[in-house]
Amino acid sequence: ATVRARPSLVSRRQVYREVTMCRPVVGLLVVLCLTNSARPDAVRTTEKDDVEVFQKIVLPPLLTAPDSFRSPKKDDVDILKNPEGSKLGKYAWSWTPPRNSGPAFSNLATGWFDRGNPGNEVPTWGLASYRIGPPARLGPNIPIPQDLQAAPYPYILRPERLAAIRANTFYPFYDQGGDSGIGDYQRDIHASSPQLHKNLNFQLPFFGFRYNYTRISMHGDVEFSDPPEHFTYPLNFPVADWPNKNDPAFIGIFYSKCRIGSIRPTDEDQRIPGVYFRMERDLQARQDWYGIEMRERVKWDIRLGVVGAQDFSPKHMAIITWKNVSFAGGIDNSLYRTNTFQMVLVTDEVFGYVMFNYRDIQWTTHTEAGGDTTGGEGGTPAFVGFNAGNGTRSYEYKPFSQTTAVRDLVSRGWGNNMTGRHIFRIDENILPGSCNRDIAGANLNLVFAPESANMLGGTAVNITGPCFLPGMKIKCRFDTEGVDGYVDATLYPNRAVCVMPFVMAEGYILLDIAIDGGAYNWKGKFFVETPATATQYVFFDTEAIHQPNPASISMRWDNRNLTLNTNSYVNISLWGYRETTIRPELVMIDTLEGNVANTGQYNIIPSNYRNRNNYLTSDMRFGFIKIQLITDSSSSTTNGIPVLTPVLWSRPIPLGWYFAPQWSSQYGSNWPSAMCDKWLMDDRYLKNFASEISQCPCTLDQALVDKGRFMPDFDCDIDRNPRCFYNKGAVHCVKTGSPSLEGSEQQCCYDKNHYLMLSYDQQ
């Protein structure tokens, strides 16, 4: 790259002789060139300007936009003089990224101006040469992104670039740049002032509370309330003496008394030891390259690292790094025995997650907790975990916290398949996303998502707890129903998948797993919902499903609830339900369509089934649409054992649209009335359950305040679903909150005058 003056100052016929030598500079990942330009009409005024160092890349439009740069700084030193006597001066552009989203560079672009004609700077960027001034130290694992060359605006993140930045365990932090020139380094945190208040200006959900501030502590934690004046070791949370003694709300990545350590000249990372804090807000709206890279990186780290986070989209994040911190109370030489770890907080203001990244742990205990003064060993090691504060609840990360196994944090975790990374969901409860192979027992906690499902089965349940390996034999047990699971080959060792079978139970059941034929040691509580109350996944666009002879029935579903593979196929079938014996039956009636593309929509043509003769199932009155994913043989087996595939079920639907021709042949053209009469006759032989159910409140006002015994009926809800398709004339219905011992429940509906509707009112 050669500096060229404007044509008005230098003749186009002048010849330049250039000798250029290029060499790579280790650590910057850019090519720097040494250029010696000799011109017959130019007079050198300073020897230092014989050599200029330029960066051989063209800055992307994002960086060269005028509003991204500060005003040019003009150099007072004459550099070149042309024959006419006009002097050429040099100016330099400095760049501070928008929203302080990246490291700042000085002297990033250089150009020339005519001293004899002030204000007449080089008018086009093409006549300027770009160079790096004093480069910000980005760290050994954060290279300057070369693929920003000719990047469009808004910035487009390529898959290979995303994979490259996600390969680093640590998120970036800087000790240069910014308004103060020290980047993210917090120089106000030191021995005499170990805490620093930070306003987040967004809502961070944590352990059932919400905070818009935090305090960064030198002692390996972020706090939301004051700690007690003195601690007794080992630490126990929540503090038993609260409120007489402070019970702090905090997130402890390595909660121990620390001091800022020292580094040696031979250390690879020469950034300043201490505490770093970086906050990135409004990620969903960011268009700059740094904001886009941070958003996509943390989004996929969370989605692939924690079960149940597959739709998470981050809005705000904070990166807190403790670099080369030593233990309090040690001798001077112990300053070189340091730990380095990092906390990444991320939220969409509804869900909250935290990543603990550990790079190096050389000490475990400070002297007040019984550690020695030389190596920081012995005594009670650091606390790792969470405390909600105010005497409520806590979560201690076992087996690492306050044990010698705390050293293993660097080599365990396997979050995103990385050693040293441990991920947690923290908004309501603390749910770890990392597997654990160092703990044994008979009642170990499972983490799974979703936490509830339809009793009909078919829901893929992602499980985290023990560490899984490909080829392991996984057995899941939902209450008394066992099913084979499999290890997710793309996310092991943190995740296994079991598809829930048909479970004839309601409410909380026990979900436990066994590995390779072992005992069912890992357990959790799983909630089973009835088909009428479970989350709705299949939707009907019109009321055609309730008609006896519709031309077509349009239905849709979210195809991502089955798989993210856009080239997948499904089978669509019709199932019926009946209770003719003590054991309920869920029976397949017919296959509506096989091998259908999983596009998320399908039209049922009832006329295609008019000639069916389902004499074994024609007594069924209601049923369900079942949409089942089709998988190949390799993905539907584990160790040669077939496993269930994901399924979506509709809400209970009537079957007249399918059975109308058969019922007409059986009961005559007036089959609806005939079937109602038959139902009344059959009902006389059933047990009289009316005495076992709760009596209906007489008015709507009474029903609304009788919470607990009664709950809204989702099919006729004055607030959410006032259509009341099944209850003509009603404005609101309630039903009993829990069934009777025999399984029956009460339904109460109220008219426009808010009075109870009775059966004889319809006659």
Side-chain angles (χ1 to χ4, degrees):
T2 303
V3 176
R4 294 180 296 175
R6 295 171 60 234
S8 60
L9 301 178
V10 179
S11 172
R12 297 177 184 271
R13 294 191 297 270
Q14 293 171 340
V15 180
Y16 296 79
R17 291 185 294 109
E18 303 172 356
V19 179
T20 303
M21 299 174 291
C22 297
R23 62 177 180 178
V25 178
V26 177
L28 290 181
L29 296 183
V30 295
V31 178
L32 303 181
C33 298
L34 305 180
T35 303
N36 184 5
S37 299
R39 306 193 313 182
D41 59 343
V43 178
R44 295 195 304 270
T45 58
T46 57
E47 185 176 354
K48 68 176 182 178
D49 292 303
D50 284 347
V51 178
E52 291 286 341
V53 181
F54 297 103
Q55 182 184 8
K56 290 189 65 179
I57 64 171
V58 177
L59 294 181
L62 170 63
L63 306 187
T64 58
D67 57 357
S68 297
F69 287 86
R70 299 174 183 170
S71 299
K73 176 183 178 182
K74 298 182 180 180
D75 199 336
D76 292 332
V77 179
D78 289 347
I79 297 179
L80 297 175
K81 185 182 294 183
N82 65 12
E84 289 78 16
S86 297
K87 297 180 180 179
L88 294 180
K90 182 178 72 173
Y91 67 87
W93 291 88
S94 297
W95 175 62
T96 299
R99 301 175 182 265
N100 290 326
S101 59
F105 296 99
S106 60
N107 298 332
L108 187 60
T110 59
W112 304 91
F113 66 96
D114 183 1
R115 292 188 184 279
N117 189 9
N120 194 15
E121 285 81 12
V122 178
T124 63
W125 291 103
L127 295 178
S129 299
Y130 303 102
R131 73 174 185 180
I132 288 183
R137 289 199 293 270
L138 304 184
N141 62 335
I142 309 295
I144 296 174
Q146 287 184 318
D147 63 348
L148 292 183
Q149 302 178 31
Y153 185 84
Y155 172 58
I156 298 176
L157 178 60
R158 296 193 294 269
E160 57 271 18
R161 172 64 184 168
L162 178 61
I165 60 178
R166 289 193 62 226
N168 297 296
T169 304
F170 265 45
Y171 277 67
F173 61 98
Y174 310 100
D175 66 346
Q176 292 190 16
D179 295 334
S180 58
I182 57 174
D184 308 324
Y185 182 72
Q186 304 298 304
R187 59 186 170 193
D188 293 329
I189 295 181
H190 44 77
S192 59
S193 178
Q195 297 176 347
L196 186 62
H197 182 90
K198 293 289 184 180
N199 288 318
L200 300 177
N201 290 322
F202 59 81
Q203 296 292 323
L204 174 66
F206 170 62
F207 230 153
F209 298 92
R210 298 171 70 87
Y211 300 94
N212 61 1
Y213 68 92
T214 188
R215 288 203 294 260
I216 310 301
S217 172
M218 182 172 62
H219 302 313
D221 71 309
V222 295
E223 300 174 351
F224 305 99
S225 60
D226 294 329
E229 294 183 3
H230 304 285
F231 281 113
T232 302
Y233 298 92
L235 300 178
N236 290 297
F237 297 103
V239 174
D241 295 335
W242 183 86
N244 297 323
K245 190 176 181 180
N246 289 341
D247 183 30
F250 71 92
I251 302 173
I253 182 173
F254 199 87
Y255 193 34
S256 184
K257 288 193 175 181
C258 307
R259 59 176 176 168
I260 297 176
S262 301
I263 58 175
R264 294 182 172 89
T266 56
D267 289 347
E268 180 183 11
D269 190 349
Q270 288 293 310
R271 282 174 289 188
I272 307 170
V275 181
Y276 292 75
F277 176 82
R278 183 175 193 83
M279 184 160 53
E280 299 293 338
R281 289 194 286 255
D282 305 316
L283 290 172
Q284 294 178 354
R286 295 275 288 273
Q287 298 294 321
D288 58 289
W289 69 267
Y290 193 84
I292 290 175
E293 288 196 349
M294 287 298 100
R295 180 184 68 229
E296 295 303 309
R297 177 179 181 177
V298 74
K299 178 177 75 176
W300 289 108
D301 281 349
I302 295 299
R303 285 186 177 185
L304 300 179
V306 184
V307 295
Q310 62 271 11
D311 293 323
F312 177 70
S313 180
K315 289 178 65 177
H316 315 286
M317 66 181 298
I319 305 170
I320 307 100
T321 307
W322 290 261
K323 181 183 182 296
N324 296 110
V325 292
S326 184
F327 58 93
I331 61 176
D332 290 344
N333 285 340
S334 67
L335 288 174
Y336 293 100
R337 186 176 288 269
T338 62
N339 297 346
T340 298
F341 42 86
Q342 182 185 77
M343 180 190 302
V344 180
L345 291 167
V346 56
T347 182
D348 62 357
E349 299 188 279
V350 176
F351 298 99
Y353 300 90
V354 65
M355 277 185 277
F356 291 171
N357 298 323
Y358 298 90
R359 176 176 293 172
D360 190 19
I361 295 181
Q362 299 180 13
W363 61 271
T364 61
T365 316
H366 61 95
T367 57
E368 186 179 311
D372 65 76
T373 60
T374 304
E377 298 174 341
T380 303
F383 177 92
V384 181
F386 310 82
N387 190 42
N390 299 325
T392 52
R393 50 187 176 154
S394 67
Y395 178 92
E396 187 170 7
Y397 190 30
K398 292 294 186 179
F400 308 106
S401 177
Q402 302 195 97
T403 69
T404 55
V406 73
R407 288 183 175 276
D408 296 334
L409 288 168
V410 178
S411 59
R412 296 292 191 268
W414 295 285
N416 304 126
N417 283 338
M418 295 181 181
T419 56
R421 173 168 290 181
H422 307 253
I423 311 178
F424 304 84
R425 178 178 165 184
I426 61 172
D427 43 83
E428 292 295 333
N429 297 296
I430 306 301
L431 302 177
S434 303
C435 70
N436 200 324
R437 68 172 56 165
D438 300 313
I439 192 169
N443 293 284
L444 307 177
N445 291 328
L446 278 179
V447 177
F448 41 79
E451 299 176 359
S452 63
N454 193 323
M455 65 186 301
L456 300 180
T459 300
V461 181
N462 295 283
I463 299 171
T464 295
C467 292
F468 303 102
L469 293 174
M472 277 185 170
K473 183 179 179 181
I474 309 298
K475 190 76 172 182
C476 296
R477 188 169 60 186
F478 294 81
D479 197 20
T480 59
E481 302 293 331
V483 63
D484 292 293
Y486 60 93
V487 177
D488 191 324
T490 61
L491 298 173
Y492 78 90
N494 277 11
R495 190 175 303 183
V497 180
C498 288
V499 178
M500 178 183 171
F502 178 31
V503 178
M504 287 183 285
E506 181 184 359
Y508 281 105
I509 63 170
L510 182 66
L511 168 59
D512 47 8
I513 68 170
I515 301 175
D516 289 336
Y520 288 89
N521 290 331
W522 294 84
K523 301 178 173 66
K525 289 197 306 181
F526 190 82
F527 191 77
V528 178
E529 301 177 277
T530 66
T533 59
T535 302
Q536 186 173 2
Y537 291 113
V538 180
F539 304 89
F540 299 97
D541 296 329
T542 65
E543 302 296 345
I545 194 71
H546 301 283
Q547 299 173 5
N549 296 294
S552 66
I553 301 173
S554 176
M555 67 177 187
R556 54 187 171 84
W557 65 94
D558 189 343
N559 55 355
R560 297 174 300 173
N561 285 326
L562 290 172
T563 179
L564 296 179
N565 181 8
T566 57
N567 297 320
S568 59
Y569 292 84
V570 296
N571 286 330
I572 302 176
S573 55
L574 179 65
W575 290 65
Y577 180 84
R578 63 186 169 197
E579 296 179 359
T580 56
T581 64
I582 193 173
R583 188 174 181 86
E585 293 181 275
L586 181 66
V587 182
M588 178 177 171
I589 298 175
D590 198 356
T591 297
L592 301 181
E593 193 70 50
N595 206 32
V596 179
N598 184 28
T599 60
Q601 57 184 4
Y602 179 74
N603 283 331
I604 301 174
I605 308 300
S607 59
N608 294 338
Y609 317 106
R610 294 193 183 280
N611 296 326
R612 296 287 202 273
N613 183 15
N614 309 90
Y615 63 94
L616 294 178
T617 56
S618 61
D619 61 325
M620 294 183 171
R621 301 296 180 258
F622 75 94
F624 311 90
I625 297 291
K626 177 182 179 181
I627 304 173
Q628 184 168 19
L629 180 68
I630 299 175
T631 58
D632 56 34
S633 58
S634 62
S635 60
S636 60
T637 62
T638 175
N639 300 319
I641 303 174
V643 296
L644 299 176
T645 54
V647 171
L648 298 180
W649 292 93
S650 71
R651 290 278 178 85
I653 59 172
L655 300 178
W657 60 271
Y658 180 89
F659 281 120
Q662 300 180 51
W663 288 343
S664 180
S665 300
Q666 184 177 357
Y667 297 105
S669 59
N670 195 21
W671 57 265
S673 297
M675 293 180 67
C676 283
D677 293 338
K678 186 177 185 304
W679 182 87
L680 289 172
M681 183 178 297
D682 293 340
D683 184 61
R684 295 172 183 172
Y685 296 98
L686 298 177
K687 182 179 179 179
N688 185 7
F689 55 83
S691 60
E692 300 177 355
I693 58 179
S694 301
Q695 296 297 313
C696 287
C698 295
T699 66
L700 176 59
D701 293 338
Q702 293 173 341
L704 293 177
V705 298
D706 198 355
K707 294 180 173 64
R709 285 206 312 154
F710 294 94
M711 60 178 289
D713 187 336
F714 300 143
D715 291 322
C716 184
D717 187 346
I718 194 172
D719 296 317
R720 297 179 55 187
N721 185 16
R723 294 175 61 249
C724 299
F725 181 84
Y726 294 106
N727 306 94
K728 303 300 182 182
V731 296
H732 187 70
C733 294
V734 297
K735 59 184 180 180
T736 46
S738 59
S740 67
L741 294 177
E742 298 293 333
S744 56
E745 70 175 17
Q746 176 72 282
Q747 184 192 49
C748 314
C749 294
Y750 300 87
D751 60 19
K752 63 181 180 179
N753 297 316
H754 293 187
Y755 287 110
L756 178 66
M757 298 173 63
L758 304 177
S759 299
Y760 61 78
D761 293 337
Q762 308 300 314
Q763 298 178 359

